[in-house]
């Protein structure tokens, strides 16, 4: 790489926009959406979709709620032409959906495009030609007049063909391709010349689509370009201002959001941002960004995994696991501090209140995800994530002190094996360390009597290989048990809860014991009877103390 790249890559010249308004505006509603997945997205694939795959994808876009879909470049290939005919002739286009097709400004291509749309109820004809200096000079070897006249001739031909076929409701879209790299005054002159020929009115608007064909600068510069055009376009009340951002700098989503603040009313892009080079803007991310700000996006991603699966299988490209909102791992935390914050936030969550769960800007349930995969455990995880998985998958609610101790066992296991620990692995480790049922003392049976506020306990126990009888008196059954064994122990903490429901429910008890030499241990036990579970838990703690 060059030590001083400024000579090879001079910075983009920002336009003068005094008193720009977009920085102080706030988005209030969703834009009009146009999916370009079946055209821009399809042309970017190593193996483009066939007609059956495109139809399956088209139907998925309909389920998502798209009302405008660019379906083909029908003059570019017989496959694209036939796909448009299939949609029309087989009635695949709902009455409230408009298909869009694209064409260059060449008489034969325009005529072929109209032929593909014969019988359509409504359609958008999208005309484009590149207008930026590098394209004028290097690609087309023409000047500004030549570029403008090319756009004018194409517009005039489309208008004449539209008037000749009034059975279809036509809408016209013009894109000054490479707009982002064009002098704004010239872009304006071409757009105004085109709209002067088409003659839109407020009841029959045309679309001026301003592409960031190549991202030339930071998103604020694109917003300035859009606001400048919004201020200066002729017949502005008869024009829908649209944007078609690409992602060369990796800022297409940000550029689009600022462009909407600057006056854009319509956005073209692909669901997951695939497209030529670094892709079109990501419509799913844009839509759900709006959703998390309380704005209904008018698109339905309530089954986001189904949408992702259709896209991946259709285009042969994977969606990144950390892709915003839709990736396999996007709602998953491995970090201990993140897990603890998420667990606490979800525990405090109440229906009907604003969503404010730490680290989760979107409720996974709103896009069809459950909470099982939010927290996953590896060597980076902490007590919060481990206890969350045990709670959610197995109904085990560990006391805080036991969370801390058990997390050390889990981390040792993860470090040793170098792998993620799922809920079943955690349960196995928990049983291994606390519920194994082994040790010198084992519960067999007991009876008790209450007298003068004291509890007398008769116990039948197994001590190593012998069955023994013990009797003790205390302030309750657990105190009586310790007295029966004549052990210098104190119960620091006792907690219990049920696992399961109805007749199959089990009680689980957690006992924290302190010895007179300062050691602390935990005993845990399960039983269908709460008192038996508590007695077994004390014995479990005693066994752990003896083997520590």
């Amino acid at each position: 790489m060059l030590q001083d790249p400024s000579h090879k890559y001079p910075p983009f010249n920002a336009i003068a926009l005094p008193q720009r308004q977009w920085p102080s505006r706030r988005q209030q509603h969703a834009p009009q959406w146009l999916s370009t997945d079946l055209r821009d997205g399809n042309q970017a694939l190593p193996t483009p979709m066939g007609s059956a795959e495109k139809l399956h994808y088209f139907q998925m876009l309909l389920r998502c709620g798209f009302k405008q879909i660019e379906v083909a470049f029908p003059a570019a290939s017989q496959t694209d032409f036939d796909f448009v005919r299939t949609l029309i002739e087989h009635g695949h286009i709902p009455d409230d959906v408009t298909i869009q097709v694209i064409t260059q400004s060449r008489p034969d291509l325009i005529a072929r495009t109209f032929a593909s749309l014969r019988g359509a109820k409504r359609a958008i004809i999208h005309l484009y030609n590149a207008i930026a200096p590098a394209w004028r000079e290097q690609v087309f070897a023409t000047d500004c007049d030549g570029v403008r006249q090319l756009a004018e001739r194409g517009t005039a031909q489309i208008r004449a063909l539209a008037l000749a076929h009034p059975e279809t409701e036509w809408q016209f879209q013009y894109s000054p391709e490479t707009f982002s790299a064009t002098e704004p005054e010239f872009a304006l002159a071409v757009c105004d010349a085109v709209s002067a020929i088409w003659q839109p009115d407020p009841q029959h608007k045309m679309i001026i689509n301003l592409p960031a064909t190549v991202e030339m600068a930071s998103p604020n510069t694109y917003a300035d370009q859009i606001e400048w055009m919004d201020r200066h376009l002729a017949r502005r009340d008869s024009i829908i201002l649209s944007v078609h951002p690409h992602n060369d700098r990796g800022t297409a989503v940000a550029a689009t959001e600022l462009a909407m603040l600057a006056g854009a009313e319509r956005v073209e892009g692909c669901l997951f941002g695939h497209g030529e080079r670094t892709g079109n803007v990501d419509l799913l991310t844009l839509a759900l960004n709006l959703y998390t700000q309380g704005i209904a996006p008018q698109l339905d991603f309530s089954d986001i995994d189904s949408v992702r699966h259709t896209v991946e299988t259709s285009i042969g490209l994977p969606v990144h696991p950390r892709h915003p909102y839709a990736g396999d791992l996007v709602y998953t935390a491995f970090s201990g501090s993140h897990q603890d914050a998420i667990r606490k936030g979800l525990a405090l969550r109440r229906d009907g209140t604003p969503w404010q769960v730490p680290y989760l800007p979107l409720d996974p349930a709103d896009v069809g995800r459950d909470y099982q995969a939010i927290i996953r455990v590896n060597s980076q995880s902490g007590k919060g994530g481990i206890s969350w998985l045990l709670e959610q998958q197995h109904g085990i609610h560990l006391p805080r002190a036991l969370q801390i101790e058990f997390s050390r066992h889990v981390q040792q296991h993860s470090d040793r094996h170098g792998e993620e620990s799922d809920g079943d692995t955690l349960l196995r480790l928990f049983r291994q360390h606390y519920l194994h049922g082994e040790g010198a003392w084992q519960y067999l049976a007991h009876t008790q009597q209450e007298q003068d506020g004291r509890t007398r306990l008769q116990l039948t126990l197994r001590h190593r290989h012998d069955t023994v009888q013990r009797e003790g008196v205390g302030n309750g059954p657990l105190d009586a048990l310790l007295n029966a064994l004549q052990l210098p122990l104190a119960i620091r903490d006792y907690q219990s809860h049920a696992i399961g429901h109805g007749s199959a429910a089990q009680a689980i008890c957690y006992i924290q014991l302190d010895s007179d030499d300062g050691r602390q241990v935990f005993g845990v036990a399960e039983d269908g009877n709460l008192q038996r579970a508590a007695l077994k838990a004390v014995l479990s703690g005693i066994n752990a103390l003896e083997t520590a």
Side-chain angles (χ1 to χ4, degrees):
M1 295 180 68
L2 301 173
Q3 292 297 316
D4 179 11
S6 62
H7 298 292
K8 188 174 183 179
Y9 302 103
F12 188 78
N13 292 323
I15 66 173
L17 187 66
Q19 298 180 325
R20 56 181 55 82
Q21 299 299 305
W22 63 262
S24 60
R25 292 174 182 162
R26 180 178 178 182
Q27 192 70 22
Q28 300 291 332
H29 54 78
Q32 296 180 28
W33 303 105
L34 175 104
S35 161
T36 64
D37 291 74
L38 298 178
R39 194 271 157 178
D40 254 17
N42 193 45
Q43 74 170 358
L45 303 178
T47 304
M49 289 182 279
S51 293
E53 292 168 313
K54 288 185 73 172
L55 180 58
H56 182 59
Y57 203 113
F58 178 80
Q59 292 166 339
M60 180 268 291
L61 292 172
L62 296 179
R63 291 193 297 273
C64 290
F66 283 95
K67 302 303 180 186
Q68 296 181 13
I69 302 172
E70 188 169 69
V71 295
F73 190 156
S77 71
Q78 189 64 42
T79 299
D80 270 19
F81 186 96
D82 291 343
F83 180 64
V84 178
R85 296 308 309 151
T86 295
L87 293 178
I88 296 170
E89 292 174 0
H90 294 273
H92 292 299
I93 308 169
D95 288 343
D96 62 344
V97 172
T98 303
I99 61 170
Q100 176 172 301
V101 294
I102 189 170
T103 180
Q104 296 169 326
S105 186
R106 280 175 39 189
D108 57 326
L109 300 184
I110 292 172
R112 178 76 168 161
T113 300
F114 268 85
S116 75
L117 291 167
R118 183 180 69 255
K121 181 176 181 179
R122 66 169 64 88
I124 300 170
I125 300 286
H126 179 191
L127 176 72
Y128 76 96
N129 65 305
I131 68 170
W135 283 259
R136 297 195 305 257
E137 298 162 6
Q138 300 174 32
V139 181
F140 302 114
T142 188
D143 57 13
C144 289
D145 285 342
V147 166
R148 186 184 66 253
Q149 289 169 15
L150 186 65
E152 290 172 336
R153 288 195 299 270
T155 303
Q157 182 183 359
I158 291 171
R159 178 174 172 79
L161 287 169
L163 291 173
H165 295 279
E167 67 277 9
T168 296
E169 182 183 330
W170 303 102
Q171 189 170 28
F172 178 56
Q173 172 173 320
Y174 175 68
S175 288
E177 191 191 7
T178 66
F179 162 79
S180 55
T182 302
E183 313 92 327
E185 294 81 6
F186 180 58
L188 178 69
V190 176
C191 290
D192 284 349
V194 165
S195 69
I197 294 171
W198 189 259
Q199 286 296 304
D201 60 53
Q203 286 71 46
H204 305 88
K205 295 184 178 185
M206 69 170 287
I207 301 166
I208 294 290
N209 185 54
L210 303 176
T213 307
V214 179
E215 278 199 301
M216 304 301 295
S218 53
N220 62 297
T221 298
Y222 186 53
D224 281 350
Q225 291 175 312
I226 300 302
E227 184 170 332
W228 191 92
M229 291 291 286
D230 182 47
R231 293 184 189 183
H232 292 91
L233 277 169
R235 292 166 282 276
R236 181 64 184 90
D237 65 346
S238 302
I239 287 172
I240 297 170
L241 190 57
S242 177
V243 290
H244 182 114
H246 283 245
N247 196 40
D248 303 85
R249 292 169 54 92
T251 58
V253 168
T256 306
E257 291 182 327
L258 299 189
M260 289 191 290
L261 297 177
E265 305 154 277
R266 182 177 181 268
V267 176
E268 297 188 349
C270 294
L271 274 181
F272 289 96
H274 63 284
E276 287 284 25
R277 305 186 317 280
T278 52
N280 298 79
V281 69
D282 180 335
L283 296 188
L284 183 141
T285 297
L286 276 171
L288 291 176
N289 282 357
L290 291 176
Y291 185 77
T292 63
Q293 300 303 303
I295 299 171
Q298 309 304 322
L299 294 174
D300 182 4
F301 296 119
S302 58
D303 188 359
I304 204 167
D305 288 335
S306 173
V307 172
R308 189 192 68 201
H309 176 73
T310 298
V311 173
E312 289 180 322
T313 55
S314 298
I315 71 176
L317 297 174
V319 172
H320 194 281
R322 291 291 185 182
H323 185 285
Y325 302 113
D328 268 336
L329 298 178
V330 72
Y331 303 104
T332 301
F334 289 101
S335 162
S337 61
H338 288 203
Q339 292 175 341
D340 189 56
I342 291 170
R343 181 180 64 86
K344 290 174 179 175
L346 288 172
L348 294 172
R349 170 83 184 132
R350 297 294 178 266
D351 290 341
T353 61
W355 178 261
Q356 292 182 325
V357 176
Y359 297 111
L360 292 178
L362 175 73
D363 183 352
D366 287 355
V367 290
R369 293 282 183 89
D370 59 31
Y371 296 122
Q372 297 301 318
I374 287 178
I375 291 174
R376 290 162 63 175
V377 172
N378 61 17
S379 61
Q380 304 300 306
S381 305
K383 65 184 186 306
I386 294 165
S387 60
W388 164 265
L389 281 185
L390 286 176
E391 288 174 18
Q392 295 299 306
Q393 296 187 19
H394 301 292
I396 295 175
H397 302 263
L398 301 183
R400 177 176 173 78
L402 184 53
Q403 292 176 22
I404 296 171
E405 180 177 295
F406 180 53
S407 68
R408 299 191 189 104
H409 296 299
V410 176
Q411 287 182 328
Q412 290 171 2
H413 172 84
S414 298
D415 285 335
R416 186 165 57 250
H417 295 279
E419 62 186 20
E420 181 182 344
S421 297
D422 60 17
D424 290 339
T425 300
L426 294 179
L427 180 62
R428 177 175 58 79
L429 289 172
F430 182 70
R431 290 187 178 279
Q432 173 186 325
H433 287 283
Y434 300 101
L435 288 170
H436 45 69
E438 300 173 356
W441 293 98
Q442 297 295 315
Y443 171 91
L444 296 177
H446 82 280
T447 61
Q448 72 180 61
Q449 298 172 327
E450 302 296 328
Q451 185 176 3
D452 300 327
R454 304 274 284 173
T455 300
R456 179 179 296 277
L457 205 62
Q458 291 88 32
L459 291 147
T460 303
L461 306 173
R462 178 174 291 117
H463 183 238
R464 304 194 189 282
H465 302 292
D466 299 324
T467 300
V468 298
Q469 306 292 325
R470 293 287 188 273
E471 182 174 319
V473 177
N475 294 325
L478 303 187
D479 187 41
L481 170 59
L482 293 177
N483 291 333
L485 297 179
Q486 298 181 348
L487 294 174
L489 300 173
I491 296 175
R492 171 184 286 267
D493 187 37
Y494 165 82
Q495 295 185 40
S496 65
H497 62 81
I499 301 176
H501 302 281
S503 59
Q506 289 279 102
I508 185 167
C509 289
Y510 313 94
I511 303 289
Q512 185 177 1
L513 296 174
D514 288 348
S515 67
D516 59 354
D517 58 3
R519 291 184 293 167
Q520 294 181 354
V521 294
F522 286 94
V524 184
E526 288 179 291
D527 196 280
N529 177 274
L530 177 59
Q531 189 174 97
R532 286 199 303 266
L535 295 172
K536 289 179 179 180
V538 172
L539 293 174
S540 171
I542 293 170
N543 291 333
L545 193 64
E546 291 186 358
T547 58

